[in-house]
Amino acid sequence: MSPKNMPKRIKLGEILVRQKKLTPGKLFELLEIQSQTAQSLGYLLTKQKIITDEELNHALSEQLGIPHISLRKGMVDPAIVDILPKEKAIQMNVIPMFRVNNVLTVATSDPHDFFKQDKIAEITKFLIQQVSCSRADINKAIEECYQGQISIDDVISSVDEGELAFVEESTEATVSEIAKMAEGSPVVNLTNLILLKAIRKAASDIHIEPQQDNFMVRARVDGILYELMTHGMERHSAVVSRLKVMASLDISERRMPQDGRIQVTVDGRLIDLRFSSLPGYYGEKVVLRILDRSKSVLDINRLGFDQSLLALFKELLRRPYGLIIVCGPTGSGKTTTLYAAVNLLNTIEKNIVTIEDPVEYQISGITQVPVKSAIGLTFARILRHVLRQDPDIVLVGEIRDRETAKIAIEASLTGCLVLSTLHTNDSPSTITRLLEMGIEPYLISSSLLASIGQRLARSICPSCKTDFFPPKEVIQALGFDENKNLKLIRGRGCTSCFDSGFKGRIGIHEMLVNEPGLQKLILSNPTIDRLKEYLDKKGFITMQQDGYKKVLAGDTTIEEVQMLTVGEE
């Protein structure tokens, strides 16, 4: 049916107002913006996060009078899928589902595109019946239902020009012939596809891992690695070389690890990528840390702190001097907590300096200094010079050795508020780690304001959360009477959360405040067992106990908390 012959449809805005997802006033405001920018209403709604992509698809389906489905295994007939070439399915983001007589049912993420519908009919020689489906569902179905590897030529047509742009930095080095080949080859498109898929899935890291016959690309989402795609090994060295060119690294050096930085723009957002390569048996493994400034949480009120702990943390941050340490393993959100604290303190009256390896997010109004160990610019050396810059607040990215610890503590005793991180399992271990580094007990006792232990627990997916009554052992673990009826929340698993039941993460915390009794205990050079015994008598709330509070609030699950805090009690 051509657009001219279609019956008059209800407007998208009217549908959303009727569904109470949009107010008439907000609709009028968006229509004004639309008239000035020529952007679609759907784009404006999702950009401003008024509705999700899934909600937009549902509304469009209602507007067009076509069904909206969640594409699952078994819904696509494998005998019919090859009727549309794979490269066309990727390019148009559609997948043939099944055929009845001469009518082919096709799942599409954009049912408004009638020209696409006509093109599919022209290729397949069938009448086309559309069903609406999310882009993520279709991408997953394409990967599962089409046989064989995607060719490099397929990738050229799957990435539109302008979706991802490399932000080049000036360099004096000449570009080698191999770099020119990487720039001009279809490998550019394959590399862009890898980056686009990971960034749009809100991944924190991309792993490019060579194996005997192929290389696998995995993305870490909410702390868990998921497979994105697999390609033949003949593409591996080209993709790694392309990434090295983007990071201004030496593509001829494959025997030594290399580190670098890449900037790209995706959907109008500036994304920083930290590049790290490591030579392996089958070739170089590359890990890219994704730093999306638009999604960084720099608001201390949104980190998941219990309200009483949050009030105490803010009070400590108002102190004119002293040392605050955030501790936890890699990936527990320590740096994010420090950035949020600095962002809270960032005023015109304060001289704030950070020392980082590397600088992850740029914050206006403060001085950020990157560590460059290769030329001897270490944490300790920079810190000595920073103290001559009349600072009020100093953020030291990490205390790694005795020298840095000693200078940071001395700075905190001479008029600076010092914020830093330490790799320990919990907050009491901060004290024993500093003692093991050779720091005198009296310096720790007099300088330390607090140590904050934290982990990042996966949050229950809001799209598939459901109530359930836990078994007796779970009720007992939470400290309740096993005969009491207790209703908790968990995720069933859906397309928006990779069928995991989790989406996003929330912090669980503990805060050890250095009060007079603890100061006296530190002077005796205590063991970790003695520290924990003292804190237990004081009613110290551990990370596990804070996590259980969030379980009862419906934010996460008891299994998640126990997995993160095992051995901490």
Side-chain angles (χ1 to χ4, degrees):
M1 185 182 292
S2 69
K4 288 182 180 179
N5 298 326
M6 289 193 67
K8 187 176 180 181
R9 297 192 303 264
I10 303 173
K11 292 181 178 179
L12 177 63
E14 293 176 10
I15 293 172
L16 293 169
V17 168
R18 190 182 70 238
Q19 293 177 350
K20 296 183 180 180
K21 290 185 169 62
L22 189 64
T23 63
K26 187 63 178 179
L27 174 61
F28 179 79
E29 179 188 323
L30 291 172
L31 291 174
E32 285 289 306
I33 297 172
Q34 185 185 26
S35 66
Q36 296 168 12
T37 63
Q39 293 172 325
S40 71
L41 179 60
Y43 172 80
L44 294 172
L45 286 161
T46 54
K47 182 183 178 183
Q48 296 189 21
K49 297 183 179 178
I50 296 169
I51 61 172
T52 64
D53 289 334
E54 189 73 11
E55 289 170 333
L56 175 62
N57 272 335
H58 276 284
L60 289 172
S61 300
E62 182 178 338
Q63 184 187 32
L64 295 171
I66 67 173
H68 180 85
I69 65 165
S70 293
L71 204 54
R72 299 280 185 168
K73 283 185 178 180
M75 295 179 70
V76 176
D77 180 359
I80 199 68
V81 72
D82 287 326
I83 196 169
L84 185 70
K86 183 176 182 179
E87 63 270 19
K88 294 296 181 184
I90 293 172
Q91 184 180 13
M92 295 188 280
N93 198 237
V94 300
I95 188 165
M97 293 180 64
F98 53 86
R99 177 175 68 88
V100 177
N101 296 324
N102 68 331
V103 178
L104 179 67
T105 298
V106 176
T108 175
S109 62
D110 187 7
H112 263 128
D113 194 336
F114 301 105
F115 299 104
K116 184 190 295 182
Q117 184 177 347
D118 291 342
K119 184 68 175 176
I120 298 169
E122 180 185 333
I123 294 170
T124 62
K125 311 303 181 186
F126 287 114
L127 297 175
I128 304 302
Q129 177 176 294
Q130 295 190 110
V131 294
S132 173
C133 184
S134 73
R135 180 176 289 271
D137 274 9
I138 292 172
N139 286 337
K140 185 177 179 182
I142 289 172
E143 290 178 11
E144 290 176 349
C145 297
Y146 280 92
Q147 298 300 314
Q149 299 290 336
I150 184 169
S151 74
I152 201 71
D153 295 326
D154 296 340
V155 177
I156 296 174
S157 61
S158 70
V159 182
D160 294 332
E161 187 177 350
E163 284 188 300
L164 181 141
F166 168 41
V167 181
E168 297 191 57
E169 295 183 358
S170 59
T171 174
E172 296 178 3
T174 57
V175 181
S176 66
E177 287 301 314
I178 190 168
K180 288 179 181 177
M181 288 173 60
E183 288 284 2
S185 73
V187 170
V188 171
N189 294 282
L190 175 57
T191 307
N192 285 359
L193 181 64
I194 291 169
L195 299 181
L196 276 170
K197 288 190 74 172
I199 291 168
R200 286 176 174 169
K201 289 180 184 294
S204 62
D205 301 88
I206 304 169
H207 291 239
I208 300 173
E209 303 166 310
Q211 297 168 357
Q212 185 171 4
D213 301 317
N214 53 43
F215 74 94
M216 182 168 58
V217 181
R218 296 192 291 171
R220 190 178 296 279
V221 181
D222 295 334
I224 304 297
L225 281 169
Y226 297 93
E227 184 177 337
L228 275 186
M229 60 181 77
T230 302
H231 286 277
M233 271 300 288
E234 68 274 8
R235 313 293 181 198
H236 173 259
S237 59
V239 169
V240 173
S241 294
R242 168 60 184 165
L243 290 168
K244 285 184 178 180
V245 169
M246 295 171 74
S248 301
L249 297 173
D250 182 2
I251 63 175
S252 64
E253 178 57 79
R254 299 180 181 180
R255 298 168 300 170
M256 297 292 290
Q258 293 190 73
D259 296 296
R261 178 172 168 266
I262 301 168
Q263 280 194 332
V264 296
T265 56
V266 175
D267 302 328
R269 309 193 318 268
L270 186 64
I271 309 290
D272 284 316
L273 303 169
R274 275 169 34 194
F275 174 101
S276 173
S277 67
L278 185 68
Y281 186 77
Y282 292 114
E284 292 178 281
K285 174 177 177 177
V286 171
V287 174
L288 297 163
R289 169 64 57 88
I290 301 171
L291 301 169
D292 188 346
R293 300 180 193 179
S294 67
K295 293 187 177 180
S296 59
V297 180
L298 298 184
D299 183 354
I300 201 169
N301 299 302
R302 293 172 52 206
L303 297 180
F305 276 98
D306 178 83
Q307 287 304 308
S308 59
L309 287 185
L310 179 62
L312 183 55
F313 190 19
K314 288 180 177 179
E315 180 187 329
L316 291 168
L317 290 171
R318 287 193 288 268
R319 302 281 181 90
Y321 57 87
L323 175 65
I324 298 176
I325 292 178
V326 181
C327 60
T330 301
S332 58
K334 301 185 297 294
T335 303
T336 299
T337 298
L338 290 186
Y339 269 117
V342 166
N343 202 44
L344 178 72
L345 298 168
N346 189 12
T347 63
I348 194 67
E349 298 88 4
K350 299 290 185 183
N351 176 21
I352 303 175
V353 183
T354 74
I355 307 167
E356 304 173 63
D357 183 19
V359 173
E360 293 194 5
Y361 298 105
Q362 288 81 49
I363 304 176
S364 61
I366 69 175
T367 303
Q368 295 176 271
V369 185
V371 168
K372 296 178 181 177
S373 301
I375 60 172
L377 206 57
T378 61
F379 277 110
R381 186 171 182 180
I382 297 170
L383 186 52
R384 284 197 200 94
H385 288 280
V386 164
L387 296 179
R388 300 171 193 161
Q389 296 278 315
D390 185 33
D392 297 297
I393 299 157
V394 179
L395 186 157
V396 181
E398 185 183 344
I399 293 176
R400 296 177 178 173
D401 50 47
R402 182 182 184 277
E403 186 180 13
T404 306
K406 191 168 175 52
I407 298 169
I409 286 173
E410 288 172 353
S412 71
L413 291 171
T414 55
C416 286
L417 179 64
V418 179
L419 310 175
S420 191
T421 70
L422 200 60
H423 278 89
T424 61
N425 287 330
D426 51 32
S427 51
S429 298
T430 297
I431 295 169
T432 54
R433 178 62 56 84
L434 291 173
L435 290 168
E436 288 165 2
M437 284 181 175
I439 305 300
E440 291 81 357
Y442 75 90
L443 288 176
I444 302 171
S445 176
S446 54
S447 65
L448 186 67
L449 292 177
S451 173
I452 301 167
Q454 70 176 56
R455 297 287 188 279
L456 291 177
R458 290 182 293 170
S459 300
I460 295 169
C461 175
S463 300
C464 62
K465 65 180 180 180
T466 183
D467 300 338
F468 77 104
F469 290 96
K472 291 182 178 181
E473 55 268 24
V474 172
I475 297 173
Q476 285 179 320
L478 290 169
F480 288 93
D481 183 351
E482 63 180 44
N483 297 314
K484 179 178 179 179
N485 284 329
L486 185 65
K487 187 162 67 174
L488 298 179
I489 307 293
R490 65 185 171 194
R492 293 188 303 269
C494 63
T495 55
S496 67
C497 65
F498 297 94
D499 289 317
S500 67
F502 298 97
K503 192 168 187 179
R505 290 192 285 180
I506 187 170
I508 57 175
H509 307 88
E510 64 184 22
M511 189 178 297
L512 182 153
V513 178
N514 194 12
E515 38 78 33
L518 184 58
Q519 288 177 326
K520 186 177 179 181
L521 180 59
I522 293 171
L523 292 174
S524 67
N525 202 348
T527 63
I528 187 65
D529 291 335
R530 193 173 167 202
L531 278 167
K532 288 186 175 181
E533 183 183 345
Y534 171 84
L535 293 170
D536 189 50
K537 290 177 181 177
K538 288 285 186 178
F540 178 67
I541 297 174
T542 65
M543 276 184 285
Q544 188 172 87
Q545 290 167 331
D546 184 57
Y548 287 165
K549 287 184 182 180
K550 291 178 170 66
V551 171
L552 293 172
D555 296 326
T556 189
T557 66
I558 189 168
E559 294 84 4
E560 183 75 4
V561 172
Q562 289 176 337
M563 179 181 70
L564 291 170
T565 59
V566 63
E568 305 298 325
E569 298 305 295

